[in-house]
């Protein structure tokens, strides 16, 4: 990282902002419980035993517990058929205690992700991946029920940091739109690292990338970095997110936010 004397960019602390948002959500959940006798419910469906997926699901389960959201964990075997998986999704669609459904990606190769995501009720599509939500997001004058969590988190980071984007120029690496179209919608590319001299002085840099690089000093043997050369970029940018501790915590916070918003629609608020 850049030394304090070299760094000009203000750090956008995603971890701190996400903590504030979680506190706000916890208060909303308490209010909903007192008023309606129910709390929002989030179902997370995981197929197989990929360690990275298990880690993500565990993190989401912990986040739900912290804010009072009821967590429904659905673990299914790797060999489950697409039809049986979709049947489980329909079952969750019909469960009145579930206000959000997330199917952890990637799915096994024998399952068509598009078919599974399309089977989730649009009213419970808290990942924002349903074709109707994505379609409305792409159309002028239309409002999707849910925004995908990562880009929504990026916008929230900017807003809570006092950075106005209306009328500004935004640069997005097109390689990432191809690579991560569903999950990120807009991000930086993984195949190369964005250098400081690529950045306009004073720009706000939101780094969505997560890459593991070898680091013998770490117990795990690796450390996480983004898609931006943080040391160089922080000398040029006006604002910058670190990795880790930038966008990642916001993605989970926005998942909780979407789940509560889905519940509030059901509760008539």
């Amino acid at each position: 990282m850049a030394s304090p004397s070299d760094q000009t960019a203000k750090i956008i602390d995603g971890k701190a902002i996400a903590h504030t948002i979680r506190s706000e959500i916890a208060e909303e959940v308490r209010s909903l419980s007192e008023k309606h006798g129910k709390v929002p419910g989030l179902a997370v469906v995981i197929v197989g035993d990929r360690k990275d997926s298990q880690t993500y699901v565990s993190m989401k389960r912990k986040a739900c517990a912290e804010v009072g959201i009821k967590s429904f964990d659905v673990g299914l075997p790797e060999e489950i058929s697409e039809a049986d998986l979709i049947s489980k999704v329909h079952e969750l669609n019909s469960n009145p205690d579930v206000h959000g459904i997330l199917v952890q990606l990637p799915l096994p190769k024998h399952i068509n992700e598009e078919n599974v995501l399309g089977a989730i009720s649009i009213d419970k599509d808290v990942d924002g991946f349903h074709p109707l939500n994505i379609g409305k997001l792409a159309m002028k004058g239309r409002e999707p029920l849910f925004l995908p969590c990562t880009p929504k988190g990026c916008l929230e980071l900017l807003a809570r940091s006092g950075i106005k984007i209306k009328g500004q120029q935004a640069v997005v690496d097109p390689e990432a739109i191809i690579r991560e179209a569903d999950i990120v919608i807009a991000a930086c590319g993984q195949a190369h690292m964005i250098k400081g001299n690529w950045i306009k002085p004073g720009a706000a840099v939101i780094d969505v990338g997560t890459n593991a690089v070898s680091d013998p000093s770490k117990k795990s043997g690796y450390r996480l970095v983004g898609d931006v050369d943080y040391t160089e970029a922080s000398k040029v940018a006006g604002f910058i997110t670190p990795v880790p501790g930038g966008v990642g915590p916001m993605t989970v916070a926005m998942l909780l936010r979407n789940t509560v918003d889905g519940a509030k629609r059901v509760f008539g608020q």
Side-chain angles (χ1 to χ4, degrees):
M1 289 192 177
S3 66
S5 60
D6 293 333
Q7 182 165 327
T8 62
K10 180 180 179 181
I11 296 175
I12 300 176
D13 190 341
K15 188 174 181 180
I17 294 173
H19 178 76
T20 298
I21 293 171
R22 288 193 192 194
S23 296
E24 295 169 356
I25 290 172
E27 184 57 38
E28 285 189 59
V29 171
R30 281 191 292 270
S31 178
L32 290 172
S33 178
E34 291 171 2
K35 187 172 182 180
H36 301 282
K38 293 183 178 181
V39 298
L42 174 65
V44 178
V45 180
I46 182 170
V47 179
D49 55 3
R50 283 176 57 115
K51 288 185 177 180
D52 55 348
S53 291
Q54 294 283 356
T55 298
Y56 292 142
V57 168
S58 176
M59 181 172 59
K60 291 163 186 174
R61 184 189 306 119
K62 182 180 178 182
C64 283
E66 287 177 358
V67 300
I69 291 175
K70 186 175 181 180
S71 183
F72 295 80
D73 299 324
V74 182
L76 300 171
E78 178 89 15
E79 62 274 12
I80 191 172
S81 69
E82 180 179 310
D84 285 345
L85 175 55
I86 289 176
S87 177
K88 176 58 68 173
V89 169
H90 288 161
E91 182 182 316
L92 294 170
N93 285 341
S94 301
N95 187 336
D97 294 325
V98 173
H99 304 100
I101 300 172
L102 180 151
V103 176
Q104 185 67 43
L105 302 179
L107 292 172
K109 291 183 178 180
H110 68 279
I111 296 176
N112 185 304
E113 290 183 356
E114 182 179 353
N115 292 341
V116 175
L117 297 178
I120 298 173
S121 168
I122 189 173
D123 297 312
K124 300 186 179 186
D125 175 39
V126 289
D127 249 346
F129 291 169
H130 191 284
L132 291 179
N133 274 323
I134 292 294
K136 287 183 177 182
L137 179 63
M139 296 175 69
K140 184 177 180 180
R142 303 293 180 90
E143 289 291 333
L145 287 180
F146 300 102
L147 291 176
C149 299
T150 297
K152 183 174 182 175
C154 293
L155 292 173
E156 193 70 19
L157 281 176
L158 292 168
R160 292 191 181 232
S161 299
I163 302 168
K164 296 181 180 180
I165 59 174
K166 186 175 182 179
Q168 301 296 318
Q169 290 185 325
V171 179
V172 179
D173 190 328
E175 185 175 315
I177 299 178
I178 296 171
R179 178 175 57 91
E180 301 275 15
D182 281 344
I183 296 175
V184 174
I185 304 300
C188 298
Q190 187 180 38
H192 51 252
M193 182 161 281
I194 295 177
K195 303 298 183 181
N197 60 5
W198 296 10
I199 298 168
K200 181 179 178 180
V205 178
I206 307 296
D207 191 348
V208 185
T210 303
N211 309 294
V213 297
S214 177
D215 188 341
S217 69
K218 300 290 185 181
K219 185 177 180 180
S220 62
Y222 68 88
R223 60 187 171 88
L224 296 179
V225 299
D227 290 343
V228 176
D229 186 329
Y230 184 91
T231 300
E232 293 301 316
S234 61
K235 299 175 185 178
V236 182
F239 298 84
I240 192 168
T241 56
V243 177
V247 174
M250 292 296 294
T251 297
V252 177
M254 293 302 99
L255 174 64
L256 303 177
R257 172 81 272 161
N258 280 352
T259 301
V260 171
D261 287 347
K264 287 166 72 175
R265 291 190 189 103
V266 172
F267 297 160
Q269 288 192 221

